Each structure stands twice: as structure tokens, then as C-alpha cells.
Amino acid sequence: MARRILVFIYIALVLVLSGLAKANAAIVNKVEINQITGILTAHGVLSTPCQNHPYVVIEKIDETTGIIELDVNSVNSHKICVDVLGERFDIALDLKELPLIEGRTYIIGFKTTSDELKNLKYKAVKVDESVKIFRVNKQNFKGLLVHLEESGFALSDGNQRVPVVSPQINLALFQDNQVWLSGYVVHLASISDGAEPKSPAVIIPVSIGGIRP
């Protein structure tokens, strides 16, 4: 009987730990905001080794107080996982994607981080008009971000490589990592002469997350 009770206690404890892992998928320990480009980068560690696919979640944008609450979620690959920290991750997010008031200063904070990283300031900047025309075909991608000497960065799924171009996000942070990327697909042919796309597509990312190898 005592042994059976211990087994029940162990199972209950594992389920509780599993539930906590889902609720707190990641711990953010460093955040940087580029006030000129509007790019936010966050670095941290996943709460368990069963977590993957880290991504930023917009919890709240309160225009009354000017507070933006963010969090990092991830996909749980197993229902039960050991209670140890997982791999380190890097995430980048273009804050210009958020519906913010140009020129207003916001306070940005992540839920699972220290208090000093919950009061980051960001003054909303305007999206350049030449960039707006490309923001019409946003898609999600997964693959290995590789660096090609002849053409810069590309996203590879094992069968093909699609160029990834970003003048604002530091793609070198994610080089040779499996990444989950959200961005706009641009066809160079349609930009140059208005014709039907004939050249390979280019991905312009607005958010990217990867686990360090």
C-alpha cells in the first residue's frame, strides 16, 4: 500500500511539473531594443528539454497606460518531461509590426524575466512607405538558416533554399540553427517590372526564433 501511494505521489508530481512547463515555456534573461530600427531581440533558456519552437506572444497592448506585455511560448514535444532546463534560444521581433501610435513611448516587459527587464522603453517609429508595399503576403516557415558565401543567408528545408534578406534583423545570430520564421515573401520579378513573378522568392523576416546548437 505504501509503495502504491508513493507511485501515485510521483505521478502527480510529474504531472504538476509538466503543467508548469507548459505555463512557463521559457525564461528570458536578456532583452535588447534597437530604438532606430525597432527590432527587439530576446535571449533566454527553455524551461525543459522537451520544449522547442520558441516564439514571442503579444499578451497585451494597453494604450491607456502605454504598457506592452510579451511572453515566449514554445511547443511541448512530450507530455511528461524531466524538471531540468532546456536549451538556450534567441528571438528577434520587429516591433514595427505592432499596431502602435507613432512617436509614443511604450513600456515593454516579458512575463518570465527579472524585474529590471519588465520596464524597457520603446518609442514607436514609423514604417517606411517603401517597405509597406511588401507587407502583403506574410507566411510562416521552418528550416535551417544557412549562410551562402555567394548570396548571403538562405532558409533550407533539405530540398531547396530560399534567400532570406533583412537589413534590420541580425541573421548571424541564427546562422546554422533550426529556426521558425514569420515573414513576407517578395518576388523580385514583380518588383522590377510589374510582370508575373519569374525569379525565386525572397523572404523578408519580421520575427525569427532559434535554439542554439
Side-chain angles (χ1 to χ4, degrees):
M1 176 63 71
R3 182 177 179 181
R4 181 177 300 176
I5 293 175
L6 289 175
V7 170
F8 285 147
I9 292 175
Y10 172 76
I11 293 174
L13 180 60
V14 169
L15 291 175
V16 168
L17 291 175
S18 176
L20 289 175
K22 293 179 181 178
N24 300 299
I27 300 170
V28 180
N29 52 39
K30 184 179 180 181
V31 180
E32 301 163 330
I33 298 177
N34 188 316
Q35 298 292 337
I36 298 176
T37 64
I39 299 297
L40 177 149
T41 54
H43 317 275
V45 60
L46 296 173
S47 59
T48 76
C50 296
Q51 308 299 129
N52 55 59
H53 187 170
Y55 57 95
V56 176
V57 175
I58 314 300
E59 293 284 350
K60 180 176 69 173
I61 299 177
D62 190 338
E63 288 293 353
T64 302
T65 60
I67 293 177
I68 301 174
E69 290 185 1
L70 306 177
D71 202 1
V72 176
N73 283 358
S74 67
V75 175
N76 194 350
S77 58
H78 298 83
K79 291 184 178 180
I80 299 177
C81 193
V82 294
D83 186 27
V84 296
L85 294 177
E87 297 181 277
R88 300 189 64 80
F89 66 84
D90 301 295
I91 285 178
L93 171 68
D94 189 347
L95 295 172
K96 297 189 298 298
E97 283 288 289
L98 305 184
L100 306 179
I101 299 175
E102 178 189 350
R104 182 173 187 182
T105 298
Y106 293 83
I107 302 298
I108 297 179
F110 280 82
K111 282 189 173 182
T112 51
T113 187
S114 57
D115 290 338
E116 61 267 23
L117 294 182
K118 291 184 178 180
N119 293 287
L120 302 166
K121 293 184 178 181
Y122 167 65
K123 185 175 182 179
V125 297
K126 183 180 180 180
V127 178
D128 188 272
E129 291 297 327
S130 63
V131 175
K132 285 184 178 180
I133 62 173
F134 303 133
R135 302 194 170 202
V136 294
N137 187 19
K138 191 175 181 180
Q139 299 180 33
N140 297 319
F141 305 89
K142 175 184 177 182
L144 180 68
L145 188 68
V146 296
H147 184 262
L148 308 177
E149 293 296 335
E150 67 279 7
S151 58
F153 291 94
L155 191 67
S156 172
D157 64 359
N159 297 316
Q160 61 179 348
R161 292 175 174 176
V162 180
V164 179
V165 177
S166 176
Q168 299 174 334
I169 296 176
N170 183 9
L171 296 177
L173 286 174
F174 308 92
Q175 182 177 334
D176 300 325
N177 288 0
Q178 286 288 338
V179 299
W180 292 264
L181 182 155
S182 179
Y184 295 99
V185 178
V186 177
H187 295 277
L188 298 182
S190 62
I191 295 175
S192 60
D193 57 16
E196 289 297 318
K198 299 176 183 178
S199 62
V202 173
I203 301 172
I204 302 177
V206 296
S207 66
I208 182 172
I211 297 175
R212 300 181 195 176

